[in-house]
Amino acid sequence: MITCMAIDDEPLALQQIAAYIQKVPFLELKAQCQSAIEARRFLEQDTVDAIFCDINMPDLNGMDFVKSLTVPPLIVFTTAYSEYAVEGFRVNAVDYLLKPFGMQNFQRAANRLKERLSTEKSETEIENSQSDDTIFLKTEYRIVKVAISDIRYVEAMSEYLKVWLESEKKPIVTLLSMKKMEERLPGYFMRIHRSYIVNLTKIQEVNKNRVIMDADTYLPIGDMYREAFQAYLDTKFLGK
């Protein structure tokens, strides 16, 4: 069940939204508020999963209200003004209902709420299930479990990463930042270039400004990472 709040300064509009919510089996109406200020007071005492929120309201408009929430619920904006649509999606609104709207459009928004909550729940479960020696990566339409020790190196490619594994010929391509990947990987990984993180245990050779992973894989050492990498080599170097 998705718990909901409806906010609208127009009593008839608020009544209509409440009626629509009650017609959807997986929605539960917990509060009806005629102002954002009233809604804020409610949220100080209770929580909801989603808010159906009008934008153009006196005292505090719906957009500013949502932006003021530290951890906002899922938001569906309801308004008669189409110019707010772009701004609505900038605050990650699930949907945008332009008044007057009927039950069909409302059902569409409700289904999107359900889908978003389901996705977020799945992602949370995956994160909670990750042990220290495995990670899960989204690739195309799959979620793949990867042993961290199997990763040879990670290569940045615009907004995506290529994760090269010991056990596979082709890399896993995933939408992820280098920063997030770097934070997740343990201490035997090191960033040697703005585009490369390497598994230090997989390095075969270091030749001048390159790390050699195998006969066909040469990775550059970036200037801003050279000092840290050299410090690591010094701890492992035997000889004069």
Side-chain angles (χ1 to χ4, degrees), residues 16-29:
Q16 182 188 53
I17 295 170
Y20 284 160
I21 290 173
Q22 291 165 354
K23 289 180 180 179
V24 179
F26 55 82
L27 297 185
E28 177 188 349
L29 181 63

Side-chain angles (χ1 to χ4, degrees), residues 86-199:
V86 173
E87 190 176 359
F89 286 110
R90 283 176 182 164
V91 297
N92 202 27
V94 174
D95 208 343
Y96 182 97
L97 293 172
L98 188 62
K99 297 178 181 178
F101 54 86
M103 186 61 199
Q104 183 176 356
N105 286 334
F106 185 87
Q107 183 70 59
R108 178 202 67 201
N111 290 340
R112 288 181 177 176
L113 282 175
K114 187 177 182 181
E115 183 179 349
R116 178 78 70 86
L117 274 176
S118 177
T119 299
E120 291 182 356
K121 182 180 179 181
S122 297
E123 290 176 350
T124 299
E125 289 174 349
I126 288 170
E127 288 175 1
N128 291 339
S129 68
Q130 290 185 169
S131 64
D132 289 338
D133 58 353
T134 61
I135 57 175
F136 285 85
L137 299 174
K138 290 181 180 179
T139 176
E140 297 178 338
Y141 301 104
R142 301 178 297 142
I143 297 177
V144 181
K145 184 178 181 180
V146 175
I148 292 176
S149 60
D150 192 31
I151 299 174
R152 297 176 65 230
Y153 65 96
V154 180
E155 179 183 0
M157 183 181 64
S158 186
E159 296 179 347
Y160 291 82
L161 298 182
K162 289 183 177 180
V163 181
W164 295 86
L165 305 178
E166 195 80 44
S167 59
E168 300 288 342
K169 291 184 178 181
K170 293 184 178 181
I172 295 173
V173 179
T174 184
L175 179 60
L176 195 65
S177 70
M178 284 288 273
K179 183 176 185 296
K180 190 165 185 178
M181 177 63 84
E182 191 175 11
E183 290 172 350
R184 178 65 184 86
L185 294 174
Y188 57 91
F189 284 83
M190 179 177 285
R191 192 165 182 175
I192 62 166
H193 187 275
R194 65 192 301 269
S195 299
Y196 294 100
I197 300 172
V198 299
N199 184 335

Side-chain angles (χ1 to χ4, degrees), residues 174-239:
T174 184
L175 179 60
L176 195 65
S177 70
M178 284 288 273
K179 183 176 185 296
K180 190 165 185 178
M181 177 63 84
E182 191 175 11
E183 290 172 350
R184 178 65 184 86
L185 294 174
Y188 57 91
F189 284 83
M190 179 177 285
R191 192 165 182 175
I192 62 166
H193 187 275
R194 65 192 301 269
S195 299
Y196 294 100
I197 300 172
V198 299
N199 184 335
L200 297 169
T201 68
K202 307 291 186 184
I203 295 174
Q204 291 189 2
E205 186 179 332
V206 179
N207 188 336
K208 296 182 180 179
N209 294 324
R210 298 183 302 178
V211 167
I212 300 173
M213 305 300 290
D214 56 48
D216 301 313
T217 309
Y218 296 74
L219 307 180
I221 302 170
D223 291 340
M224 65 183 296
Y225 303 95
R226 185 172 291 111
E227 184 177 346
F229 184 65
Q230 185 60 52
Y232 162 76
L233 290 180
D234 291 343
T235 67
K236 301 295 183 181
F237 185 71
L238 295 180

Side-chain angles (χ1 to χ4, degrees), residues 19-61:
Y20 284 160
I21 290 173
Q22 291 165 354
K23 289 180 180 179
V24 179
F26 55 82
L27 297 185
E28 177 188 349
L29 181 63
K30 287 188 71 173
Q32 301 179 56
C33 302
Q34 287 191 252
S35 72
I37 294 173
E38 182 185 347
R40 178 179 286 168
R41 285 197 294 264
F42 174 87
L43 292 176
E44 289 172 356
Q45 306 296 324
D46 206 341
T47 61
V48 293
D49 298 317
I51 298 177
F52 291 86
C53 185
D54 187 24
I55 294 178
N56 193 30
M57 296 185 290
D59 299 325
L60 178 63
N61 73 50

